[in-house]
Every structure is written in structure tokens, then in C-alpha cells.
Amino acid sequence: QVQLVESGGGLVQAGGSLRLSCAASGRTFSGYDMGWFRQTPGKARVVVATISWNGGNTYYADSVKGRFTISRDNAKNTVYLQMNSLKPEDTARYYCNRRRATLSDYWGQGTQVTVSS
């Protein structure tokens, strides 16, 4: 049974940094493109960043480009999101999953990021 556990969120002041981690167990995700997504109450879940299965290609939403960095360690079945220069509008619950995951797929609990101004 697949399990995704996101961690590393918290409360941080604007301009601060956080590093999110996503540990996968139950199956290997090393052959899949992975992504980080975020969601705020009443709004749709949106993609923040994605990374190809081998880490060779990345994508970032315009809103985080230049501030966030996605990476992965396939040996540890873990995906990371380094978030720098955080802004209040980055406040959301962050999730990781396969890049092509849909809402009907399994999702972990996510990790809450709150950025104070």
C-alpha cells in the first residue's frame, strides 16, 4: 500500500525559508515524474513544481520560479522542495505526488506552510 508522508512545514516570517520533504513507501516512485502541489481553503489544488524521474528536468509555476527548488533522492524514495524568500501568498497546504496524479488518486496528508507578513 502506497504511502506519502509530507513534512517540513511550519510557520515562518516573510523572507524566510523552509525545506519540505516527501517520503514515499509501499512502492517506489523512482520511475515516475513527481511534483509538489499546494492548496488553500476553497481553492483548487495547483502544481508548484515538478521533477522528472531522473531529476534531469524541472518545472516551476511562475509564482515560485527563482525562489523554490525541487529535487529528489531516488535511493531514499524522497522528494524535496526548498522554499526561499517565502511570501504570505505561499501560505497553503503542500502535497507531493506523481506529476500526473489526479484528485481521485491517493494523496497524503500534506504539510501546512504559513508565512506571516
Side-chain angles (χ1 to χ4, degrees):
Q1 181 175 343
V2 65
Q3 187 174 20
L4 295 167
V5 179
E6 299 93 344
S7 62
L11 174 63
V12 64
Q13 288 188 331
S17 298
L18 286 172
R19 189 192 193 207
L20 306 184
S21 298
C22 171
S25 62
R27 67 178 292 184
T28 178
F29 282 88
S30 61
Y32 294 92
D33 296 352
M34 296 294 290
W36 281 97
F37 307 78
R38 67 187 182 188
Q39 186 172 23
T40 54
K43 294 190 176 181
R45 191 168 298 177
V46 297
V47 63
V48 174
T50 66
I51 187 166
S52 60
W53 68 274
N54 63 353
N57 290 294
T58 56
Y59 160 84
Y60 297 94
D62 286 344
S63 58
V64 306
K65 201 172 294 183
R67 299 187 298 120
F68 290 10
T69 302
I70 188 171
S71 60
R72 67 191 297 164
D73 185 338
N74 286 340
K76 296 182 178 179
N77 226 17
T78 302
V79 181
Y80 305 97
L81 186 68
Q82 177 67 43
M83 306 187 297
N84 299 328
S85 302
L86 282 162
K87 304 176 180 180
E89 50 263 45
D90 295 318
T91 295
R93 194 158 194 88
Y94 285 72
Y95 302 83
C96 77
N97 212 323
R98 293 179 296 114
R99 181 174 65 86
R100 297 189 176 189
T102 65
L103 289 180
S104 61
D105 290 323
Y106 163 84
W107 290 81
Q109 293 298 306
T111 185
Q112 178 67 36
V113 171
T114 303
V115 184
S116 62
S117 57

